Amino acid sequence: MSEPCVFCDIVARRQPAAIVHEDAATLAFLDITAVMDGHTLVIPKRHACDLWEISLEDAEAVMRTVHLMAARIREVLAPDGLTLFQANRASGWQDVFHLHVHLVPRASGDHLHRPWVAEPVDLAVLEPTRAKLATH
């Protein structure tokens, strides 16, 4: 890692954060650029730039903490819904290059909107990509 990482600095306590959960492998804290009350980030303590670089062990730990914090957000804040968001690399809208998952509590009619409109695609159009991606 050649550039300083603000999330690594939070893990090392060189930067402050509103930490809501910590275990041996992960850290969860409130996002300082929160788009909704309770907007939480979950990160691995061990640096990984994105989903393509994280170890399976750390990815599993992150998802366990995401699951735990989703339950805690539901219990304490009682949102109408929850949006999870995880971006990879600049083209994927990642802005901090340490893997992180956003947990965004949602309210019916809130100010957030989907970044795209979903339209059905014929399965025949999907077939060439399906064939390339199939694992069996």
Side-chain angles (χ1 to χ4, degrees):
M1 184 175 66
S2 58
E3 295 184 23
C5 173
V6 66
F7 288 172
C8 286
D9 286 344
I10 289 171
V11 169
R13 304 306 199 266
R14 292 186 296 264
Q15 287 286 330
I19 297 170
V20 294
H21 175 78
E22 181 173 13
D23 61 31
T26 67
L27 198 64
F29 50 93
L30 298 179
D31 191 332
I32 63 167
T33 62
V35 296
M36 298 292 284
D37 185 41
H39 181 166
T40 302
L41 301 179
V42 175
I43 67 169
K45 285 184 171 179
R46 188 173 19 234
H47 185 84
C49 287
D50 56 37
L51 192 58
W52 289 310
E53 291 190 10
I54 193 170
S55 70
L56 179 57
E57 175 186 14
D58 284 347
E60 289 170 342
V62 166
M63 190 50 67
R64 275 192 302 277
T65 299
V66 165
H67 189 262
L68 173 83
M69 291 312 304
R72 185 72 178 146
I73 288 168
R74 183 179 186 192
E75 174 187 328
V76 174
L77 301 177
D80 296 328
L82 181 73
T83 296
L84 296 182
F85 183 77
Q86 193 281 315
N88 295 279
R89 302 195 178 161
S91 294
W93 303 335
Q94 185 177 9
D95 53 2
V96 176
F97 297 96
H98 181 123
L99 182 126
H100 55 289
V101 178
H102 295 258
L103 290 87
V104 182
R106 301 298 302 275
S108 295
D110 64 31
H111 66 283
L112 301 179
H113 302 281
R114 285 185 189 201
W116 59 79
V117 176
E119 296 281 338
V121 176
D122 189 279
L123 287 176
V125 173
L126 299 177
E127 179 53 27
T129 303
R130 187 214 61 79
K132 290 179 199 173
L133 292 176
T135 60
H136 56 280

